[in-house]
């Protein structure tokens, strides 16, 4: 995957469908023993955003359990100890369109975002590029503070898209594709 994407690193965004919570969550690159994401509890209200400087995984194995208790495993380290309730492997790197990768090569000032929204019917996966047009770290307001430039997202794709919320108001509804029916469901998050 590193050869396809040309540079390691992406922003990871993880949350869950409204009203659902997952315990003892771990994300692994397929066939790896070390996680690239772990959370004792994952829900919509505790969305996680973090920058990772590693290659985009070709596939991600996602586990969740019935508890967030941890135990030490010799030679492995600390891991969640509960019974596994969900174990799925989803395509990641191969689903990201080449046009997005080409755009990042032409203008590397953006961040590739890999977005995972956990669901009892199967984890949803999405992607986009986040940029701040006009941002210049040397620009300051009259008081000497950084000038804020809101993020703009392009090349959004996948199984879901977040709502756009400005000043607490939904200005563009989000959506996700329901796994069982293939129906597009609109959301306010």
């Amino acid at each position: 995957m590193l050869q396809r994407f040309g540079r390691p690193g992406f922003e990871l965004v993880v949350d869950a469908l409204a009203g659902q919570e997952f315990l003892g969550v771990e994300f692994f690159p397929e066939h790896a023993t070390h996680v690239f994401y772990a959370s004792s509890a994952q829900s919509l209200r505790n969305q996680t955003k973090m920058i990772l400087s590693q290659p985009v995984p070709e596939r991600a194995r996602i586990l969740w359990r019935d508890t967030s208790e941890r135990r030490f495993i010799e030679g492995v380290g600390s891991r969640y100890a509960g019974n596994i309730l969900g174990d799925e492997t989803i395509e990641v790197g191969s689903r990201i369109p080449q046009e997005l990768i080409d755009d990042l090569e032409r203008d590397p000032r953006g961040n590739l975002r890999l977005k995972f929204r956990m669901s009892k019917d199967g984890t949803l996966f999405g992607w986009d590029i986040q940029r701040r047009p006009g941002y210049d770290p040397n620009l300051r307001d009259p008081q000497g503070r950084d000038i804020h430039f809101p993020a703009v997202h392009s090349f959004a794709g996948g199984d879901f898209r977040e709502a756009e919320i400005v000043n607490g108001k939904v200005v563009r509804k989000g959506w996700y594709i329901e796994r069982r029916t293939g129906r597009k469901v609109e959301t306010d998050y």
Side-chain angles (χ1 to χ4, degrees):
M1 283 285 112
L2 185 57
Q3 184 177 4
R4 179 169 184 238
F5 286 89
R7 63 178 180 170
F10 55 91
E11 180 177 0
L12 177 68
V13 181
V14 182
D15 62 21
L17 283 179
Q20 297 185 22
E21 184 175 48
F22 300 84
L23 301 175
V25 174
E26 293 176 314
F27 286 29
F28 297 85
E30 186 181 38
H31 306 303
T33 57
H34 297 290
V35 301
F36 68 88
Y37 177 73
S39 177
S40 60
Q42 192 66 59
S43 66
L44 180 62
R45 73 181 176 282
N46 71 340
Q47 181 185 67
T48 300
K49 292 182 180 182
M50 59 196 308
I51 301 292
L52 299 177
S53 57
Q54 64 185 49
V56 170
E58 188 169 335
R59 288 176 201 80
R61 182 176 180 215
I62 301 166
L63 302 171
W64 63 91
R65 296 170 175 73
D66 61 356
T67 181
S68 59
E69 286 181 38
R70 296 182 73 88
R71 70 168 175 232
F72 183 79
I73 301 170
E74 189 67 38
V76 176
S78 181
R79 287 284 166 82
Y80 292 107
N83 297 313
I84 295 174
L85 298 179
D87 183 348
E88 60 184 332
T89 300
I90 63 173
E91 294 290 326
V92 176
S94 62
R95 289 190 61 197
I96 298 170
Q98 186 62 43
E99 295 80 27
L100 177 148
I101 298 166
D102 294 343
D103 189 77
L104 274 174
E105 285 178 2
R106 279 190 300 276
D107 183 0
R109 291 175 295 161
N111 287 329
L112 170 63
R113 294 193 323 148
L114 302 184
K115 306 178 298 182
F116 296 86
R117 179 160 283 164
M118 297 185 72
S119 164
K120 302 246 189 248
D121 293 328
T123 300
L124 304 169
F125 172 62
W127 56 83
D128 62 30
I129 296 175
Q130 178 177 282
R131 289 191 170 105
R132 296 189 184 279
Y135 174 73
D136 180 344
N138 298 317
L139 291 177
R140 303 278 186 222
D141 69 10
Q143 287 76 37
R145 298 176 297 216
D146 288 336
I147 297 175
H148 176 72
F149 288 86
V152 174
H153 299 94
S154 59
F155 290 94
D159 306 320
F160 76 100
R161 185 170 186 180
E162 309 100 323
E164 184 177 347
I165 301 170
V166 177
N167 295 328
K169 293 189 170 105
V170 176
V171 296
R172 180 187 38 79
K173 288 214 174 250
W175 55 265
Y176 69 93
I177 304 297
E178 193 174 61
R179 287 282 172 103
R180 292 173 300 181
T181 65
R183 183 175 62 101
K184 190 176 196 175
V185 178
E186 287 192 334
T187 67
D188 289 334
Y189 57 90

